[in-house]
Amino acid sequence: FVRDSCPGLFIGLWLNRDDGKEIVSSGFDGAYTYFASIGFSFGSTPANWSRMKTFMEQHNKLFIPSAGPGYNDTKIRPWNNHNTKPRMDGEYYKTMLHAASSASNKYVSITSYNEWGEGTQIESAKDKLAGFMDYSPHQPNYYLEITKTWVDSIAAMPETCGETEQTL
C-alpha cells in the first residue's frame, strides 16, 4: 500500500476486539498489534490475525502483525507476571515471526528493538545489565541474527516482495 500525495502512513494499535472499526473510521491507513505476548490482548493473539487481516483488507487498509522474542515486564509491572512469555532459546521469537509473516502479505512489526523494560529487546546484549537477562549461551547479537535470517528468507520469496504496490 502506498498513499498518493500524502506525507505519512498512519497506523493504529489494534488492542481490543472492536478496535479495527475505530481504526478504519478514524482514517488510519492500517493497524498493527504491538504486544509480544500471545494472549496479552485480542490483537496480540495470532489466532485472531486472519480475521483481523480480512477485516482490514475489506476496508483497503494494512494489517501489520507484530512479533517479539518473548515478554517479561515484571521489572516495571510486577503485577503482570501472568503475561510473561519466556524466550525459549529463540523458539518463541521464531514462532511469532512465522505467525506474523503468515498473517501478512508484506509487513511485520518487531516488538521491539530495545524495549528492555518489557523484555522484548532484540538489540545486542553485550553485558548483563543489572536485573536484565543476556542471551547466554548465545552471542550478544543472537536475536539480530534470527531477525536477519528471517528477513533474508522472506525477501527471497517473490510473492512477498512483489514489484507492484497497491495505492490507497
Side-chain angles (χ1 to χ4, degrees), residues 25-145:
S25 68
S26 298
F28 285 92
D29 297 311
Y32 78 115
T33 62
Y34 181 71
F35 288 102
S37 177
I38 295 171
F40 185 99
S41 68
F42 179 84
S44 71
T45 305
N48 299 327
W49 291 352
S50 177
R51 185 170 66 199
M52 294 164 71
K53 177 185 175 186
T54 298
F55 178 84
M56 296 309 282
E57 286 177 341
Q58 289 171 343
H59 293 89
N60 198 30
K61 304 290 182 182
L62 293 170
F63 175 66
I64 305 172
S66 299
Y71 189 87
N72 185 346
D73 67 352
T74 57
K75 299 254 182 265
I76 58 174
R77 296 179 192 99
W79 46 265
N80 199 31
N81 190 52
H82 62 283
N83 282 311
T84 295
K85 299 294 185 270
R87 290 176 175 242
M88 302 182 321
D89 202 31
E91 292 306 310
Y92 184 88
Y93 189 38
K94 292 173 188 175
T95 298
M96 288 293 288
L97 287 169
H98 177 74
S101 61
S102 295
S104 175
N105 293 338
K106 195 163 188 171
Y107 302 98
V108 172
S109 160
I110 304 296
T111 305
S112 71
Y113 179 74
N114 60 359
E115 180 60 69
W116 288 80
E118 291 183 350
T120 61
Q121 79 285 346
I122 63 169
E123 73 177 327
S124 291
K126 293 185 178 155
D127 296 312
K128 195 167 193 169
L129 298 173
F132 293 98
M133 72 181 124
D134 63 11
Y135 307 146
S136 295
H138 302 287
Q139 294 297 314
N141 61 344
Y142 179 61
Y143 287 91
L144 294 175
E145 290 173 0

Side-chain angles (χ1 to χ4, degrees), residues 1-11 23-24 26-30 60-62 107 165-168:
F1 291 75
V2 175
R3 190 184 266 272
D4 286 337
S5 67
C6 183
L9 185 67
F10 303 94
I11 306 297
I23 289 168
V24 167
S26 298
F28 285 92
D29 297 311
N60 198 30
K61 304 290 182 182
L62 293 170
Y107 302 98
E165 297 277 342
Q166 182 175 350
T167 302
L168 290 177

